[in-house]
Amino acid sequence: MNNRLLRFLLVGGICFGINLAILYTGTELFGFHYLGSTIISILVTNILGWLLNRNWTFDAKHREPIRQLLKYLAANSMSYLVSLALMALLVSVLNTNYLLASAIVAVAMALINYALHKNWSFS
């Protein structure tokens, strides 16, 4: 495995941890529906992930930041729509615990997201 992929996975792990914290806090402590908490976590982790991946994973800070951000958000928007659909399927249809469902979705989407960002967002 190359260093760039390892960095991407580490950034993803950090964002995933923050995602779980927001998901749990929003759902259990504030009483939000799990999909509402998921949307909040998506917003927070998108910005953090873009900053970390831009500056550390792909070392692309010398390139056009607005264009990168828009491409990053577009790629993640598609990814998150799939993630929301998978969350709804796993939790509402298959009765999977929402935290476990979030972990399953994160693992399933990791390599797809890496390819999207490596070959498009930060190319």
Side-chain angles (χ1 to χ4, degrees):
M1 200 176 322
N2 66 38
N3 285 337
R4 187 175 286 172
L5 178 56
L6 287 174
R7 287 180 184 179
F8 183 82
L9 293 174
L10 183 59
V11 168
I14 291 167
C15 289
F16 176 68
I18 292 169
N19 165 64
L20 284 182
I22 293 171
L23 185 58
Y24 178 81
T25 302
T27 304
E28 297 298 328
L29 300 181
F30 292 112
F32 299 151
H33 188 273
Y34 72 91
L35 290 178
S37 298
T38 300
I39 290 169
I40 294 167
S41 74
I42 285 169
L43 296 173
V44 171
T45 58
N46 243 329
I47 298 302
L48 178 62
W50 177 73
L51 288 169
L52 291 173
N53 281 316
R54 179 177 191 266
N55 293 303
W56 187 54
T57 304
F58 297 105
D59 193 26
K61 54 188 167 270
H62 58 282
R63 298 185 192 132
E64 307 167 33
I66 299 301
R67 183 177 175 165
Q68 285 176 348
L69 177 60
L70 292 175
K71 289 168 85 174
Y72 187 85
L73 292 175
N76 279 357
S77 293
M78 290 182 288
S79 175
Y80 285 127
L81 287 175
V82 172
S83 295
L84 283 172
L86 290 173
M87 282 290 290
L89 172 71
L90 289 169
V91 175
S92 297
V93 176
L94 300 177
N95 296 319
T96 306
N97 175 275
Y98 69 93
L99 294 174
L100 177 60
S102 184
I104 292 168
V105 169
V107 170
M109 298 302 293
L111 291 176
I112 293 168
N113 289 334
Y114 175 74
L116 274 171
H117 294 309
K118 178 181 178 235
N119 296 314
W120 189 58
S121 301
F122 297 108
S123 63

